[in-house]
Amino acid sequence: MNHNTPLSHSPRPLRHLSHVQRRVLTTAQLKAHGVSAAETNEQCRPGGPWQQFLPGVFLLHPGPPTSEERLHAVLMFAGRSPARPAPAIPAQPGAEAPHAQRPYTDAVITGLAALTLHGFTSAPPLLSLDSIDVLVPRLRRLRSTGCARVVRTPSMPTPSYVTGVPVAPVPRALADAVAELSDANAVRRLLTEAVRAGHCEPAAVVRELTQARLLSRPHVVDAVDSLLAEGRSIAEDRLYRMVREFGLPDPVWNVDLRLPGGPHLGGLDAYWPEQAVALELDTRAPRQDEDALWSEYARKREHLERLGITVVHITPKKLRDAMEQQATVVRTALMASNDRDPAAYVVVLPR
């Protein structure tokens, strides 16, 4: 008999619960196993073998819960789970869980607990967290209690699954964690690790922080500035590697262009003077002035192209995920220079 088998026909149902793989069950799940409310209350008496951990959620042992049990208890409390528990089949971190592994709906782990599950070394161990943040739809009637801190959202994110646990994407988990942190160093460490360890791009983090209205906090703004600097440094390193590994001609790096005796045309991350090809890393952060900043990018690009200079824009994400494809884009622009009219003469200065 496995733990999905109803026990309502067994004369001694409690004996069979010792074989349940996960020792956390809800009232509805216990009922499906043939355990009445009276029997549950009897098992949870002072000094008894069970304990009520959260409203409607029970630990089938008297000791403290494991980190896994805490996570599943919070999800059982906050989510709409089926009466019969699904088998706990381990999943690879970040992988999509098969349908049978998704016993929870309308509940996703977020905040510091989610970052720990994503593998952040700067996030605390699960057992050291006083509370576990769980996302639920905004209209759910649910209050924080015990170790479950309810975070309401108008739009539930698509979770990834870590060992069967639904976890918010890193940018959303970061925003929810930062919302509860006043320690500037802790915020900076989390944001920096998100980019340095390759969990996500800076733009995605800033977008979530903006939506959460956290950029009015000075310590968050300072951390974001460090995040953007970190992101640009990593993107530049990838750009150098792309040129080297895919055999592109060496450009001049980090230059300003000017017309002779005329105005400043703008700064570039790389420029090939003989082919009149310019490359710019698009590291804009989606803040409130994004439209104005994009207009500035567009004006610079249009001005350079009127002078016969081809401008290639590359985002850090494309450079990370499709470096070979971006190298092909640059190589194609360099080869096409032979078919274009000569570009206007410009002055190239170090930036």
Side-chain angles (χ1 to χ4, degrees):
M1 177 179 293
N2 62 41
H3 64 278
N4 281 325
T5 306
L7 300 178
S8 56
H9 298 297
S10 169
R12 303 179 66 185
L14 301 186
R15 170 187 294 177
H16 297 283
L17 286 177
S18 64
H19 300 295
V20 174
Q21 184 173 351
R22 185 176 295 132
R23 308 286 287 161
V24 186
L25 292 178
T26 64
T27 301
Q29 290 168 340
L30 287 169
K31 184 178 180 181
H33 278 297
V35 182
S36 69
E39 289 173 312
T40 299
N41 290 335
E42 173 64 20
Q43 294 297 306
C44 293
R45 68 189 186 281
W50 295 359
Q51 56 184 308
Q52 181 168 329
F53 184 66
L54 288 169
V57 181
F58 301 88
L59 292 180
L60 306 192
H61 62 78
T66 66
S67 57
E68 181 188 19
E69 287 171 341
R70 290 182 88 212
L71 288 169
H72 285 283
V74 168
L75 288 166
M76 288 174 178
F77 162 72
R80 296 188 175 100
S81 60
R84 299 177 185 174
I89 305 170
Q92 293 300 314
E96 277 295 308
H99 181 72
Q101 245 177 284
R102 301 180 182 179
Y104 310 110
T105 59
D106 289 349
V108 174
I109 299 296
T110 190
L112 288 173
L115 296 178
T116 299
L117 289 169
H118 279 296
F120 275 64
T121 59
S122 55
L126 290 172
L127 284 177
S128 72
L129 293 174
D130 293 331
S131 62
I132 294 174
D133 294 342
V134 59
L135 281 170
V136 301
R138 183 171 56 87
L139 298 180
R140 287 285 307 281
R141 291 186 177 181
L142 202 63
R143 292 184 178 181
S144 299
T145 185
C147 70
R149 195 179 79 87
V150 174
V151 181
R152 290 181 174 80
T153 179
S155 178
M156 291 290 287
T158 301
S160 54
Y161 285 78
V162 182
T163 61
V165 176
V167 181
V170 167
R172 177 59 200 260
L174 276 171
D176 290 328
V178 167
E180 298 300 311
L181 293 174
S182 57
D183 184 336
N185 289 329
V187 171
R188 183 178 293 107
R189 284 194 298 270
L190 288 171
L191 297 189
T192 299
E193 182 176 354
V195 175
R196 186 175 294 171
H199 291 289
C200 59
E201 295 298 327
V205 177
V206 177
R207 185 178 299 110
E208 288 289 351
L209 294 174
T210 301
Q211 290 179 355
R213 300 180 181 178
L214 294 172
L215 293 183
S216 60
R217 304 181 184 183
H219 71 285
V220 176
V221 173
D222 291 344
V224 165
D225 289 340
S226 298
L227 168 80
L228 296 175
E230 181 77 19
R232 168 160 276 278
S233 175
I234 292 172
E236 287 175 346
D237 287 343
R238 289 178 181 145
L239 183 58
Y240 299 148
R241 184 157 59 90
M242 181 190 77
V243 170
R244 182 178 66 252
E245 291 185 2
F246 292 95
L248 296 172
D250 287 330
V252 286
W253 297 103
N254 297 314
V255 296
D256 279 321
L257 299 187
R258 291 181 180 272
L259 287 172
H264 176 243
L265 298 174
L268 298 169
D269 293 286
Y271 184 59
W272 288 265
E274 293 184 8
Q275 295 86 2
V277 172
L279 186 147
E280 191 164 26
L281 281 171
D282 185 356
T283 55
R284 289 174 298 131
R287 303 198 199 188
Q288 293 177 345
D289 58 352
E290 181 181 10
D291 290 342
L293 190 56
W294 174 245
S295 296
E296 180 184 336
Y297 269 74
R299 281 196 300 271
K300 179 167 69 174
R301 180 172 188 161
E302 289 172 2
H303 195 174
L304 291 175
E305 290 186 341
R306 282 199 300 271
L307 296 172
I309 297 172
T310 299
V311 181
V312 176
H313 273 266
I314 295 181
T315 65
K317 186 176 189 302
K318 288 182 178 178
L319 199 54
R320 181 191 69 184
D321 297 341
M323 183 180 289
E324 183 175 5
Q325 182 186 44
Q326 300 311 302
T328 300
V329 170
V330 174
R331 181 177 288 106
T332 300
L334 294 172
M335 294 173 62
S337 66
N338 295 326
D339 301 325
R340 299 194 307 266
D341 293 332
Y345 179 76
V346 295
V347 179
V348 182
L349 299 172
R351 184 165 60 174

